Amino acid sequence: MRPFKYSKTSEASKAVSIVSGSPKAQFLAGGTNILDLMKEDVERPDQLVDITRLQINQVTTLASVGGKAGVKLGALGKNTEAANHPLVRQQFPVLSQAILAGASAQIRNMATNGGNLNQRTRCPYFYEVSMPCNKREPGSGCSALKGINRMHAIFGWSENCVAVHPSDMCVALAALDAKVEVQGAKGKRSIDFKDYHRLPGDQPEKDNTLEHGELITAIDLPGNSFNKSYYLKIRDRASYAFALVSVAALLETNGSTIRRASIALGGVAHKPWRAYEAEKFLAGKSATAENFRQAAELEMKQAKTLAHNEFKIELGVRAIVQALNQALES
Amino acid sequence: MREETIDPELTADERRLLEDLLHDENDDFSAAGLQRRNFLKQVMAAGGGVLALQLAGENNLLAQAVPASPSAVPPGTINTVKLSLKVNGVVRSLTLDSRMTLLDALREKLALTGAKKGCDHGQCGACTVLVDGQRVLSCLTLAAGCEAKSVTTIEGLAKSGKLHPVQASFLKNDGFQCGYCTPGQICSAVALLKEAKNGEASYVTKDLRTKGPVQLSPEEIRERMSGNICRCGAYPNIVAAIREVHEGKDAAQAWSFVEQTNHSS
């Protein structure tokens, strides 16, 4: 690992000012991803600012919108705490499920809510510094495009990058229309979740729309009227593996009629992929297996597969159908 | 009985030392390391004799080279960090390079080699320790960030020479083969039992809206232990060991003989 200066602060503004003023400085929260990447020489910060003692780790109630109270997750709360907080388990069980589907208990005890959003892809070519990778070294090329790309994207990729976002938590946050609260040198702002992560385009080195030195302070979950939900994760092992395909499914039902659906997919794109086509199709329809299947097929029709991941289309269809069925039973 | 096994040509000193060794070998598993170290110290003090020389060699093999002072600045340190933390109940002061992980600090600075370096990338769980009571991966934790924290390693689980119930259960149920992953498995299992008691859910927990302690089925234990890999494949016995402590009664045998087959056909 390359040498770096270690410092810590208990003031968010100070952390932001140090990192903003130093192009190679980075925040250190749970460390589960950045330390691994530093050992691999993928990340090369010259300074780490330890922010784990900032007092932004609580789960609190958010002012209600239209009678439904939301929840605010402090950015430095641990994934385990978020998944097990009574407010989250009662009101947003799909988020608990998604968090608990990711990583291992040890990692969830370390990883923070904000850090989860900023984890980097697990594309093996991104990790292997002897191989070209546009995300790691812009302009060097994408080794996965014509390489082993079984785990890679089927939506929204470009010739420059076919990597997928690895998070489970973010798939649920996408379906829940969360908001990301950030603080930067120029002040605070709130980013809609759909705009937080990016598609690779010609700048795959940018995973998200944060500016250097901007710090996530909280993730807001607005109140909603979904009464059914499920998070389904399909992976090579039964546990402790990244998703081949995952689905966060939310339904607002009235009897057997679907008023509204919100569906997001993981393991298929550079960002959590909202299944807008499927959602549109399901609105106002009956909650039947046939309608679920049609909605899923409609969504997956837009997929563009690579040499080794064609299986993700049928897998995606079946995963969406199963997630909707399980949501219905919840 | 013991008298007969001791070579009559030994000097009085050697005889006394060997008796200590035999006693040591028969002693409680948890205290063995400490006692052996005491013994080796005694051998060094006795000075000379063939037995002592052999045992001095053993000393190099078995005893850990404890750094003279973990708070001295080691050569080659670039960004020096000083910190104090509590390890197995004792406050320790460390001076280290900012790059040093908690795992390396425990092993290299404090000679606590129980936590193992398996993959060093957070994929195997062999380095699992408890920090402020939570199971974490010490290979992905910077030591520098552990100021004032309380760390418990496998060495800190036994109390007054008595094994932690999870340690005893792993022995009873054969929860290991080579033993390399075992310190991590046991630390992980100790935390798991507390998590279940506190009502923490897992991905296979059926109803997240239900509160209260979680009854650990084999499925729940497997899911909750998935961050600890065992290359020997001792999983059925690991699950049985954990289940036994959780339920407070003997777990059913995890294996069975195959039924008699007809060899004539």
Side-chain angles (χ1 to χ4, degrees):
Chain A
M1 196 188 289
R2 288 167 198 248
F4 61 88
K5 194 177 152 214
Y6 171 87
S7 63
K8 57 188 166 198
T9 175
S10 48
E11 277 174 63
S13 57
K14 204 170 165 201
V16 166
S17 114
I18 296 172
V19 176
S20 300
S22 175
K24 290 179 75 183
Q26 291 204 42
F27 299 117
L28 174 69
T32 56
N33 191 215
I34 193 169
L35 283 178
D36 188 29
L37 290 166
M38 286 165 69
K39 289 180 184 189
E40 297 281 11
D41 207 25
V42 175
E43 294 278 7
R44 301 170 181 181
D46 61 7
Q47 184 176 2
L48 287 183
V49 181
D50 186 337
I51 52 171
T52 50
R53 286 163 207 245
L54 302 190
Q55 295 303 305
I56 45 173
N57 54 4
Q58 302 296 311
V59 176
T60 49
T61 303
L62 198 62
S64 74
V65 183
K68 298 275 181 184
V71 166
K72 183 186 275 294
L73 306 176
L76 288 167
K78 300 295 166 74
N79 276 185
T80 297
E81 295 160 3
N84 278 297
H85 197 282
L87 286 174
V88 179
R89 277 173 70 164
Q90 297 300 319
Q91 295 179 53
F92 304 97
V94 71
L95 180 60
S96 293
Q97 281 175 327
I99 293 173
L100 294 169
S104 66
Q106 289 96 315
I107 293 176
R108 294 191 296 268
N109 281 341
M110 304 166 73
T112 62
N113 299 327
N116 190 303
L117 271 58
N118 290 350
Q119 63 179 308
R120 318 249 12 221
T121 183
R122 297 319 197 277
C123 172
Y125 300 102
F126 173 68
Y127 264 76
E128 179 47 68
V129 292
S130 66
M131 301 291 285
C133 169
N134 288 322
K135 188 179 274 301
R136 176 168 30 79
E137 205 181 322
S140 63
C142 174
S143 302
L145 185 64
K146 305 279 183 206
I148 307 291
N149 45 36
R150 178 175 172 271
M151 300 293 291
H152 291 70
I154 54 171
F155 289 113
W157 52 269
S158 73
E159 297 282 314
N160 298 305
C161 181
V162 294
V164 297
H165 195 263
S167 169
D168 290 295
M169 180 184 186
C170 290
V171 180
L173 293 176
L176 289 166
D177 285 316
K179 286 181 193 300
V180 187
E181 306 297 327
V182 305
Q183 178 176 347
K186 288 178 265 175
K188 298 180 179 181
R189 64 187 179 120
S190 173
I191 308 170
D192 285 346
F193 207 80
K194 64 178 169 47
D195 301 322
Y196 184 80
H197 293 103
R198 298 177 66 255
L199 289 177
D202 55 7
Q203 273 191 304
E205 69 277 17
K206 283 180 177 259
D207 294 348
N208 55 52
T209 50
L210 276 188
E211 282 173 29
H212 180 73
E214 272 189 315
L215 175 74
I216 301 177
T217 55
I219 299 153
D220 290 351
L221 309 169
N224 65 51
S225 47
F226 295 112
N227 55 333
K228 308 271 182 193
S229 71
Y230 193 73
Y231 185 75
L232 176 71
K233 183 175 183 182
I234 309 289
R235 44 192 154 173
D236 284 328
R237 298 192 295 222
S239 182
Y240 200 22
F242 290 97
L244 292 166
V245 173
S246 70
V247 185
L250 293 155
L251 292 172
E252 182 188 340
T253 57
N254 181 12
S256 62
T257 305
I258 300 166
R259 278 196 175 142
R260 196 159 67 98
S262 182
I263 303 168
L265 308 178
V268 296
H270 196 261
K271 60 188 282 186
W273 189 259
R274 270 293 285 271
Y276 291 120
E277 293 298 320
E279 291 175 14
K280 252 185 268 168
F281 177 86
L282 288 172
K285 298 247 179 16
S286 306
T288 63
E290 184 44 38
N291 281 335
F292 290 166
R293 176 105 204 154
Q294 278 192 42
E297 282 173 353
L298 203 60
E299 186 65 40
M300 298 309 286
K301 219 188 262 177
Q302 312 165 80
K304 257 174 50 187
T305 59
L306 302 160
H308 305 122
N309 66 9
E310 205 186 329
F311 73 95
K312 282 193 179 182
I313 295 199
E314 183 60 22
L315 185 63
V317 170
R318 294 184 192 195
I320 292 171
V321 172
Q322 191 183 329
L324 288 166
N325 274 325
Q326 296 205 228
L328 212 52
E329 287 169 19
S330 68
Chain B
M1 178 83 176
R2 183 174 285 179
E3 282 301 318
E4 291 161 20
T5 63
I6 291 178
D7 188 332
E9 288 177 28
L10 291 179
T11 65
D13 271 351
E14 286 168 344
R15 177 185 291 258
R16 185 172 51 80
L17 294 172
L18 193 54
E19 272 176 347
D20 277 348
L21 176 62
L22 290 172
H23 170 72
D24 181 278
E25 292 293 316
N26 291 333
D27 211 301
D28 190 330
F29 167 85
S30 69
L34 189 66
Q35 297 222 345
R36 177 174 291 123
R37 220 167 294 146
N38 285 342
F39 167 68
L40 290 166
K41 237 189 265 165
Q42 288 169 338
V43 168
M44 297 313 280
V50 176
L51 177 65
L53 280 175
Q54 279 174 346
L55 288 163
E58 196 185 341
N59 184 20
N60 287 336
L61 282 175
L62 295 178
Q64 299 123 348
V66 181
S69 164
S71 56
V73 182
T77 303
I78 298 178
N79 293 293
T80 307
V81 179
K82 283 179 186 286
L83 73 146
S84 290
L85 73 170
K86 205 181 250 187
V87 181
N88 297 332
V90 179
V91 176
R92 308 299 299 258
S93 294
L94 295 171
T95 302
L96 36 77
D97 190 295
S98 63
R99 289 171 288 182
M100 190 171 245
T101 60
L102 175 61
L103 176 63
D104 286 341
L106 290 169
R107 293 180 57 85
E108 310 295 332
K109 290 272 190 183
L110 300 175
L112 292 168
T113 53
K116 295 291 184 280
K117 187 177 278 195
C119 67
D120 208 24
H121 289 281
Q123 296 176 8
C124 77
C127 67
T128 302
V129 299
L130 309 177
V131 174
D132 291 341
Q134 305 276 310
R135 49 176 162 163
V136 300
L137 299 176
S138 59
C139 80
L140 291 182
T141 302
L142 277 187
C146 293
E147 169 70 35
K149 291 191 177 170
S150 177
V151 180
T152 304
T153 68
I154 188 75
E155 289 93 339
L157 288 180
K159 296 278 180 258
S160 334
K162 198 173 173 336
L163 293 182
H164 187 283
V166 176
Q167 288 176 305
S169 190
F170 266 64
L171 282 174
K172 178 173 174 242
N173 287 282
D174 255 348
F176 49 88
Q177 186 177 315
C178 82
Y180 194 81
C181 70
T182 313
Q185 299 275 4
I186 291 178
C187 286
S188 200
V190 167
L192 181 166
L193 292 167
K194 197 185 78 182
E195 291 159 13
K197 214 175 185 177
N198 292 344
E200 291 184 24
S202 83
Y203 183 60
V204 300
T205 304
K206 290 283 173 279
D207 184 4
L208 291 169
R209 292 192 169 101
T210 308
K211 292 175 196 165
V214 178
Q215 192 57 36
L216 291 174
S217 62
E219 188 193 15
E220 279 278 7
I221 294 171
R222 284 195 292 269
E223 165 59 27
R224 289 163 188 261
M225 288 296 290
S226 69
N228 291 83
I229 310 294
C230 169
R231 211 164 65 168
C232 301
Y235 298 115
N237 296 358
I238 292 170
V239 173
I242 296 169
R243 219 179 160 194
E244 196 164 297
V245 182
H246 174 66
E247 293 177 359
K249 59 175 192 233
D250 289 358
Q253 188 172 280
W255 55 273
S256 64
F257 291 110
V258 291
E259 276 183 37
Q260 195 85 37
T261 50
N262 184 354
H263 294 287
S264 61
S265 59

